[in-house]
Amino acid sequence: MRIGIDLGGTKIEAIALDEAGATLLRRRVPTPAGDYTRPLSTVADLVATAEKELGQQGTVGVAAPGSISTRTGLIKNSNSTVLNGKPLDRDLSTLLGRPVRLENDANCFALSEAVDGAGADADLVFGVILGTGVGGGLVIGRKIIVGHNRIAGEWGHNPLPWPHDNERPGPACYCGKHGCIETFLCGAALSRDYRSRTGKDLTAEEIALAADSGDVPARECLVLYQDRLARGLATIINVFDPDVIVLGGGLSNIVQFYAGLPALVGRYAFSDGVDTAIKRAAHGDSSGVRGAAWLWPIVSRG
Ligand SMILES: [Zn+2]
């Protein structure tokens, strides 16, 4: 069996899949706050418990924010900052007594959707995470393209393309730059836009509900968000031209974003038209953990 772990900033999820991809077990626990060692022992406990309950050993794949630096072998770019600078894959291998495959969580999301999700019939799948952060992953032929610097797909830290004057220089990003796509397309950005129009604090989900019941500022926020999303996706299409783009993360549940999105992307992409399928994730927020499980043996890291 394959065990997948999604080591997130707020929760740690474990899943066990049989050879066909059927779910044998699933657990979700809050991520212990504070230091680096407690989340690791939580992962070890989840794996030990799963194997005891199921009476078999499994391979272990882990989805985590950030990636392993090719220069140092340590985690970089993680918004779970306690992981940065740590040899997370080696520490987990030692703790679990077996080789552990570790991959960026957005890459795992894209892999899951490419294997048996919304991109299952497609060769080139780009998975997009729209949530607390904005990430992405590229999968070709059911294989994650990690890239030379292991940052392939990280479109969230490209600048917002075709910026309007009032979008320059854009909000400060935790990566040190201004105006990153993430600062316009994360959940907090939608709330910020609504607050600037109304003075009220609503979550992304509440803004979508308000728009549905006729709230004009909420509708304007969604229209602007969709246009920014289209600009961002147009650059992905210009570079990779994927067969399918799969949207995941909390904001992918906002159904208003999908209608007319390919046509809107077509206004920006370098093409006479865009008929790329832009789909909602089939496995919802379980895609990261499923993709982590699929790191064995589908993806060969060589
Ligand atoms: Zn950034």
Side-chain angles (χ1 to χ4, degrees):
M1 73 174 170
R2 299 180 181 92
I3 296 173
I5 301 284
D6 188 357
L7 180 49
T10 55
K11 50 114 182 139
I12 301 175
E13 189 171 359
I15 202 168
L17 303 180
D18 71 10
E19 291 306 306
T23 304
L24 302 172
L25 171 145
R26 178 177 293 173
R27 294 280 184 282
R28 186 179 280 200
V29 296
T31 305
D35 68 356
Y36 168 69
T37 54
R38 290 181 64 210
L40 267 65
S41 36
T42 304
V43 170
D45 288 346
L46 284 167
V47 170
T49 309
E51 293 187 331
K52 194 173 168 200
E53 277 183 37
L54 298 168
Q56 51 182 316
Q57 264 223 331
T59 56
V60 176
V62 177
S67 65
I68 299 166
S69 164
T70 50
R71 295 183 177 182
T72 63
L74 309 174
I75 294 279
K76 66 174 177 181
N77 292 351
S78 180
N79 55 9
S80 290
T81 48
V82 291
L83 303 180
N84 284 326
K86 297 291 198 297
L88 180 59
D89 55 338
R90 279 169 279 155
D91 286 344
L92 283 171
S93 291
T94 305
L95 207 55
L96 296 169
R98 74 195 83 178
V100 167
R101 286 185 178 170
L102 184 137
E103 193 47 77
N104 171 266
D105 48 7
N107 287 353
C108 290
F109 161 76
L111 179 63
S112 163
E113 292 296 326
V115 169
D116 63 356
D121 299 323
D123 184 50
L124 206 166
V125 176
F126 195 89
V128 163
I129 299 284
L130 302 169
T132 314
V134 172
L138 178 65
V139 172
I140 301 179
R142 295 184 165 191
K143 186 176 185 303
I144 295 172
I145 307 301
V146 294
H148 184 75
N149 301 289
R150 297 195 184 158
I151 56 161
E154 292 289 2
W155 72 306
H157 297 278
N158 281 0
L160 182 73
W162 300 284
H164 305 161
D165 286 345
N166 63 2
E167 291 169 335
R168 277 189 294 248
C173 184
Y174 78 92
C175 75
K177 300 188 174 67
H178 278 78
C180 291
I181 285 174
E182 174 166 307
T183 68
F184 290 101
L185 294 183
C186 65
L190 194 57
S191 299
R192 184 184 66 226
D193 187 17
Y194 190 76
R195 196 184 315 117
S196 75
R197 292 168 195 267
T198 64
K200 292 183 201 157
D201 277 312
L202 293 189
T203 65
E205 195 183 358
E206 288 165 344
I207 293 166
L209 283 172
D212 245 355
S213 30
D215 182 292
V216 172
R219 282 188 180 172
E220 288 169 350
C221 285
L222 295 192
V223 166
L224 179 57
Y225 184 98
Q226 193 193 34
D227 182 73
R228 289 169 170 167
L229 177 60
R231 283 183 257 162
L233 296 182
T235 62
I236 288 168
I237 289 174
N238 283 355
V239 177
F240 298 122
D241 202 5
D243 300 306
V244 179
I245 295 175
V246 185
L247 306 187
L251 279 78
S252 70
N253 297 323
I254 298 179
V255 292
Q256 292 99 318
F257 291 149
Y258 294 86
L261 186 56
L264 196 53
V265 174
R267 285 193 212 164
Y268 296 104
F270 184 58
S271 173
D272 59 351
V274 164
D275 56 9
T276 311
I278 304 175
K279 297 182 177 177
R280 189 172 166 184
H283 296 298
D285 64 359
S286 288
S287 252
V289 75
R290 289 183 64 88
W294 286 123
L295 292 173
W296 295 89
I298 286 182
V299 181
S300 168
R301 303 276 308 262

